[in-house]
């Protein structure tokens, strides 16, 4: 069996993960902004403050999976690893800035406020999931696996590069 054959299932999985993250970013960019209560609450600016870091991280993740797929079985290139090491520092700053943006543009107590907090917390969870420790597992395994604090594939790739 050749390396190409041996890694084909993993390449398909990485393609699925990469495209899935990019599609998720597109959905998050469109759907929440179309909810009528957002405009009614005057929450557009606060929602975008929460959405931007989520979109930023989801697109990073999608690109990572597509690049990792292309470079199997080896690690991602050093220049790419350098970019992702920088993003590991930049992402928390983006989350902090977006938190400030949310506070400044806060719509008050409303359904929009709940959505805004949920979106921002999801961005934080995605940042942690990709750059610190793995949070995403199939539901049937989640409770048993998440407490193991396993290292995300991206972090392992950064160490190998």
């Amino acid at each position: 069996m050749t390396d190409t054959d041996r890694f084909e299932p993993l390449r398909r999985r990485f393609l699925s993960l990469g495209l899935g993250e990019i599609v998720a970013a597109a959905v998050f960019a469109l759907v929440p902004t179309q909810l009528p209560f957002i405009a009614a609450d005057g929450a557009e600016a606060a929602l975008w403050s929460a959405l931007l870091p989520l979109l930023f991280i989801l697109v990073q993740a999608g690109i990572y999976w597509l690049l990792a797929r292309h470079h199997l079985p080896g690690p991602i290139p050093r220049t790419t690893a350098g970019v992702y090491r920088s993003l590991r520092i930049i992402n928390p700053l983006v989350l902090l800035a977006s938190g400030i943006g949310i506070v400044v543009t806060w719509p008050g107590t409303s359904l929009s406020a709940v959505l805004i907090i949920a979106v921002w917390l999801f961005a934080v969870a995605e940042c942690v999931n990709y750059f610190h420790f793995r949070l995403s597992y199939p539901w049937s395994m989640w409770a048993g696996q998440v407490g193991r604090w396993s290292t995300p594939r991206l972090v392992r790739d950064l160490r190998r590069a």
Side-chain angles (χ1 to χ4, degrees), residues 15-101:
L15 177 63
S16 175
L17 289 168
L19 294 177
E21 294 291 27
I22 291 169
V23 168
V27 169
F28 274 108
L30 296 174
V31 173
T33 60
Q34 302 304 311
L35 299 172
F37 62 86
I38 298 293
D41 293 342
E44 295 93 342
L47 178 62
W48 278 108
S49 290
L51 277 172
L52 287 175
L54 177 60
L55 301 177
F56 186 53
I57 292 166
L58 289 173
V59 169
Q60 290 170 36
I63 291 169
Y64 161 72
W65 288 118
L66 297 175
L67 290 171
R69 174 186 186 268
H70 179 72
H71 292 287
L72 279 172
I76 57 176
R78 283 188 173 156
T79 54
T80 303
V83 169
Y84 278 89
R85 283 186 189 102
S86 298
L87 289 170
R88 189 174 184 181
I89 296 166
I90 292 168
N91 286 334
L93 298 174
V94 169
L95 286 164
L96 177 63
S98 74
I100 292 168

Side-chain angles (χ1 to χ4, degrees), residues 118-141:
V119 167
W120 189 82
L121 288 174
F122 186 49
V124 170
E126 285 290 354
C127 183
V128 169
N129 183 55
Y130 277 101
F131 291 94
H132 301 286
F133 57 89
R134 187 172 171 195
L135 296 175
S136 63
Y137 295 95
W139 277 112
S140 61
M141 299 171 44

